[in-house]
Every structure is written in C-alpha cells, then in structure tokens.
Amino acid sequence: MTAADLIDAVRDDQQTELSRLGSSKTLYADTRGEMAPEVVLSAAATREQAAHDTFDAWSDDSHDDAAALFADAAAETAERRDSLDAEPGDETPAMHGVLDDLNGTVERLGGFVGWTLVDKKVKEQYTGFFTGQADPQTASTFRSAGSDVETLREKAAELLDAVCESDDDWDAAEAAAIEVIATAYDEYFETLEDLGVNPKPVC
C-alpha cells in the first residue's frame, strides 16, 4: 500500500460521511442552528483551537519529521484562529477526542489525514457561507485555509510512505483515519437530530 492508496481507501469507505460533512448542514450543526456570521466565525475558531491543542501536543513526536509537521499544523491553526477575530466556544469537536487518544507516529499520521479530509470539507462550507454573505475577504480566507490543509495532507502522505513498514502499519493508519471521520460524522448526525433536522439529504 501507498499513502495515495490509503487516502483513496479512506475516501471510499467514508464516502457518504464525507459527502454529508461537506453539506451546508455542517454549519447548521456547528452553530446549533444560529447561522449568523459572528456565530459561524466562533464555530470556526472553535475548530481551529481544538486542532491547535491536538497538534501542539503531538509536536514532541519521536519521529522528527512528523514532529515538525505537527508543529507546523499547530502554528497554522493558531494563526487562523487568531485571524478570525472571534472567541472559540467551550465545546471541543468529538473527533479531537479520538485524535488525542492516538498513540505513535503511524496512528497519528493516519488520524491527521482523517482530520484533513474532514476539515477541508468544512472549510468549503465556510467559504460558501461567506460568499453568500457578500463577504469575499472572509470567504477568501477560508478558501486559502482549505488549500493549506490540503498541503498538510500531502506532507502527511509523504511521511506515511516513509514510516509505514508493514501491512499492520498501513492498517493502523487507515483505521485511525476512518475513526476520526466516523466520529466527526456521528457528532454531526446526533447534533442535527437533537436540533430536529434530518441529517440525511432529501432527494
């Protein structure tokens, strides 16, 4: 297996979940139905804060290149959080509970890939929201952030190719990525149900 194979396999396994996480209902869940720009920005800051905390804790990873990647991710998420000029909320996205429990470089890199797949989808929705609000500057900020997340995924993929030495390693990385996405989706699903919204698309 290669990292490209792993990412394809994760996308295939979690196709429905990622598709729904990439819908406008994600913002509705993030804001608990309060779709005002300031609430959306606070929700975005909450995601960036949680990501910063996770990746900052990983920046002492035993693999030097992975530690550097996680440190870069921590710095980028902190910079994005600060640029939003919004206070993060108190709740931490559930997928970070999974990420925080991952052990070892292989699992962390797999989980990191899962986070990037979710985060890119979410940032596309933030971009669309602020485009609809006739706020092109903020929309551009989220569009650029999505590109940054893709770059982080590419770096993680390179490291996975370097550190995975066996089928067991690849299986562990893939399982971590899938668990992160599945947990994010479960939270999305349950939040929408609590709000009285059908999480499934209406055909």
Side-chain angles (χ1 to χ4, degrees), residues 18 47-48 50-52 54-55 58 73-74 76-77 80 95-96 99 108-123 145 148-150 152-153 176-178 180-181:
L18 285 169
R47 285 186 175 273
E48 301 295 357
H52 166 75
T54 293
F55 304 139
W58 289 1
E76 288 184 18
T77 50
R80 286 198 292 268
M95 67 176 170
H96 284 279
L99 288 163
R108 286 175 171 178
L109 286 170
F112 188 84
V113 166
W115 169 79
T116 66
L117 291 169
V118 172
D119 201 59
K120 178 63 166 62
K121 289 287 189 182
V122 173
K123 283 181 168 51
D148 292 342
V149 170
E150 286 187 320
L152 289 172
R153 185 192 309 146
I178 288 173
V180 168
I181 297 167

Side-chain angles (χ1 to χ4, degrees), residues 18-82:
L18 285 169
S19 175
R20 292 179 184 170
L21 286 168
S23 76
S24 60
K25 289 181 180 179
T26 283
L27 292 191
Y28 198 85
D30 273 7
T31 61
R32 304 303 189 268
E34 297 183 49
M35 298 281 282
E38 63 273 15
V39 182
V40 173
L41 285 174
S42 178
T46 301
R47 285 186 175 273
E48 301 295 357
Q49 178 67 56
H52 166 75
D53 291 346
T54 293
F55 304 139
D56 186 57
W58 289 1
S59 63
D60 63 352
D61 192 271
S62 59
H63 189 285
D64 288 346
D65 289 341
L69 171 64
F70 299 143
D72 287 346
E76 288 184 18
T77 50
E79 183 178 348
R80 286 198 292 268
R81 175 202 63 205
D82 294 343

Side-chain angles (χ1 to χ4, degrees), residues 21 30 32 46-47 50-51 54 90-102 115 118 176 179-191:
L21 286 168
D30 273 7
R32 304 303 189 268
T46 301
R47 285 186 175 273
T54 293
D90 295 331
E91 295 187 10
T92 299
M95 67 176 170
H96 284 279
V98 174
L99 288 163
D100 292 345
D101 287 341
L102 296 176
W115 169 79
V118 172
E179 186 179 5
V180 168
I181 297 167
T183 301
Y185 177 72
D186 287 346
E187 182 178 38
Y188 156 91
F189 193 99
E190 291 165 8
T191 300

Side-chain angles (χ1 to χ4, degrees), residues 119-190:
D119 201 59
K120 178 63 166 62
K121 289 287 189 182
V122 173
K123 283 181 168 51
E124 288 171 357
Q125 287 306 310
Y126 282 104
T127 301
F129 175 83
F130 285 103
T131 298
Q133 292 290 313
D135 185 349
Q137 183 174 353
T138 304
S140 178
T141 296
F142 283 108
R143 188 177 297 109
S144 296
S147 296
D148 292 342
V149 170
E150 286 187 320
T151 299
L152 289 172
R153 185 192 309 146
E154 291 167 2
K155 292 179 179 178
E158 291 174 4
L159 284 172
L160 279 168
D161 281 328
V163 302
C164 288
E165 299 177 346
S166 66
D167 289 344
D168 286 347
D169 285 344
W170 287 112
D171 288 346
E174 182 178 343
I178 288 173
E179 186 179 5
V180 168
I181 297 167
T183 301
Y185 177 72
D186 287 346
E187 182 178 38
Y188 156 91
F189 193 99
E190 291 165 8

